[in-house]
Amino acid sequence: MQTARRKGHTARFIFGVLAGCSFACALATFVLAWPRHSQSRGAELRPAAQYTLKLNRDISPATAGTIIAESDGLFTRAGLEVHVVAGSGDADAFAAVAADEHTIGIASAAAFLKARSEGLAIVAFAGCYAASPVEFFALPDTKLLLPSDLEGKRIGYMRGPELSAVLYEFVSKNSLAQSKLLPIESDDPLQDLLNRKIDVLLGNLDVEGQELARRNIEYKTLSPASYGVHAAAAVYFVQEQALGNRRSLEKLIIATAQGWNAAYADYDRTIPIIANSIDPPLSRPLIARLMDAQRGYLRPYAARFGELDERRIRSLQSQLLRRRVLQRPVDLNLAVNYDILKEAYRSGAKNLTRDEP
C-alpha cells in the first residue's frame, strides 16, 4: 500500500511538471509572437503615404471635395493621410512643393508652365477644375453684356500670367481693338473695383466672386467661355521625384472625386462640415450657393473629375511663348503626366465618370 501511494504521488508530480512546461512553452510562444503581430497590425493601420496639399489661396468651398474626403475617412481608407494648408498665391505653392516631395501643390496652369520653363522640376498630374472659373465681373450699373462692352473700360486683374493670358485670348478671339482697352494690373483689383478705380474686374469665380458674395455685393458677369475662350484651369502638381509613388497619387485623385460626390449628395450633412473647415468663414446658405455655382467648372456635363485637356495646355504654352512670358518652350511630355489620371479613371471609374458631382 505504501509503494502504491508513492507511485501515485510520483505520477501526479510528473503530470504537473509536464503541464507546467506546456503552459510555459505556450506562453513563451504567445509573448514572442505578439510583438510581430502588433507590428503587423500597426503597419496595416499606418497610412501608406502622407501628403500636404498646399493651396494657392484660402481654404474655401473650392476645396470642399478634399474637406469631405478627409472628414469621411476616404483618404484613410485609401491608405493616405492628407493635410490641407492654405496658401497666398502660386509662388507660395511652388516654394512648398520644391521643399518637400510629399507636398502636392495647386497653381494656375499658366504659372505652372512659367515655373517649369524657369527650371523648377515639377510635374502636373491632374486638374482642379475641368473648365476655368475665370469671369469678367462688373458692378450692376456698368454695361457688360457683350465682348464689345469691354472697349473703353478699365479692366483690372491680379498680377501674374493666368489672367493676362485669358484677357489676351479673349481680345484675340473676339476681334476687340486693343487700342480701346485699358488693362490694369493690380495687387488688389477687387478693392479697385469697389473704389471705382476700374470698371471691370477679371478674376476667378471661387475667389473674387466668392468675396463679392460674402460681402453681399451685387454684380454681373461675362463668361469668356461663352465667347470661345476655353482656358486651362488650375492643376495639381508635385516634384518629379514624387512620381515614384504614382499609385498613391491615383488613390488621392479617386478619394477626392469620392469626396466631391459626397459633398453634393447631401447638403444638410456636408455644408456644416465645410463651414467648420474654411477660413474666412462663410454662412451656410452662401456656401450652398457657391457650391451650386462651381458645379459647371468642377465637372461640366460628360466631363470627368480632374481632367487635363492637352490641347488647352499646348495652346496656352504657344500663347505664352508669343507674348514672351516664357523665354523657352516646356517639354510637355515631361512636364505633364497623363498616365496617373488614366489609371485613376480605369480603377475608379464609378467615382470619376459621372456626368456631374
Side-chain angles (χ1 to χ4, degrees):
M1 293 295 292
Q2 188 175 9
T3 302
R5 281 198 300 271
R6 281 201 301 270
K7 288 182 178 178
H9 176 74
T10 301
R12 286 195 299 273
F13 175 77
I14 293 171
F15 178 81
V17 170
L18 292 174
C21 289
S22 299
F23 176 78
C25 290
L27 180 61
T29 301
F30 176 80
V31 170
L32 290 172
W34 174 251
R36 290 195 296 272
H37 178 67
S38 299
Q39 290 170 5
S40 175
R41 289 195 60 187
E44 291 173 2
L45 293 175
R46 283 198 302 271
Q50 298 182 11
Y51 289 104
T52 296
L53 179 62
K54 180 67 174 182
L55 308 181
N56 59 346
R57 58 191 60 170
D58 294 330
I59 299 175
S60 73
T63 327
T66 306
I67 291 170
I68 298 302
E70 186 175 10
S71 174
D72 287 2
L74 300 175
F75 290 130
T76 302
R77 270 180 258 167
L80 304 173
E81 183 177 306
V82 180
H83 179 53
V84 183
V85 178
S88 58
D90 291 333
D92 192 20
F94 294 137
V97 170
D100 181 12
E101 69 175 272
H102 295 101
T103 294
I104 298 169
I106 293 179
S108 68
F112 166 81
L113 290 176
K114 188 173 186 296
R116 177 78 194 202
S117 176
E118 292 171 351
L120 192 60
I122 52 177
V123 179
F125 66 92
C128 295
Y129 287 121
S132 171
V134 173
E135 302 266 344
F136 290 99
F137 297 86
L139 297 177
D141 57 353
T142 300
K143 183 180 179 182
L144 187 63
L145 299 173
L146 300 169
S148 57
D149 292 333
L150 292 175
E151 294 184 346
K153 290 186 172 63
R154 299 165 297 174
I155 305 169
Y157 54 89
M158 186 72 73
R159 300 180 194 280
E162 177 194 17
L163 298 172
S164 62
V166 174
L167 180 60
Y168 180 93
E169 187 176 357
F170 188 85
V171 170
S172 176
K173 288 202 170 183
N174 291 280
S175 302
L176 299 180
Q178 292 192 36
S179 60
K180 294 183 180 180
L181 299 178
L182 301 170
I184 301 173
E185 288 190 339
S186 172
D187 292 325
D188 193 353
L190 178 59
Q191 194 59 48
D192 290 343
L193 179 69
L194 299 179
N195 293 339
R196 304 286 181 166
K197 292 181 179 179
I198 59 174
D199 306 300
V200 176
L201 163 65
L202 181 61
N204 286 277
L205 180 72
D206 55 339
V207 180
E208 287 82 4
Q210 173 183 297
E211 184 60 18
L212 287 167
R214 188 183 72 83
R215 299 188 191 189
N216 200 29
I217 297 171
E218 294 296 323
Y219 62 88
K220 58 179 68 172
T221 63
L222 180 68
S223 172
S226 298
Y227 293 93
V229 178
H230 301 287
V235 297
Y236 289 89
F237 67 95
V238 290
Q239 282 187 24
E240 287 181 345
Q241 297 94 309
L243 295 182
N245 197 358
R246 297 186 184 189
R247 182 55 184 153
S248 291
L249 298 178
E250 292 163 14
K251 289 179 179 179
L252 182 137
I253 292 298
I254 294 170
T256 303
Q258 291 175 323
W260 278 114
N261 291 335
Y264 280 104
D266 182 4
Y267 275 3
D268 288 339
R269 181 183 77 87
T270 60
I271 295 296
I273 297 173
I274 298 167
N276 290 332
S277 303
I278 62 177
D279 185 34
L282 300 171
S283 69
R284 294 182 182 184
L286 178 54
I287 293 173
R289 176 180 156 191
L290 293 170
M291 291 282 287
D292 289 339
Q294 70 187 9
R295 274 178 183 257
Y297 299 104
L298 178 69
R299 194 183 303 178
Y301 183 76
R304 296 174 294 188
F305 172 78
E307 276 198 46
L308 280 170
D309 191 318
E310 186 174 358
R311 293 168 301 175
R312 293 181 187 179
I313 293 176
R314 291 190 179 279
S315 176
L316 175 60
Q317 169 158 264
S318 296
Q319 185 217 118
L320 295 176
L321 285 168
R322 287 195 304 271
R323 295 171 51 220
R324 298 185 179 178
V325 175
L326 302 185
Q327 300 304 313
R328 58 183 178 179
V330 170
D331 186 344
L332 295 177
N333 293 321
L334 298 177
V336 184
N337 184 294
Y338 297 98
D339 293 337
I340 291 171
L341 271 182
K342 289 177 182 177
E343 184 58 28
Y345 291 151
R346 186 193 66 77
S347 59
K350 179 180 177 181
N351 301 294
L352 290 131
T353 58
R354 294 178 181 176
D355 289 339
E356 58 180 13

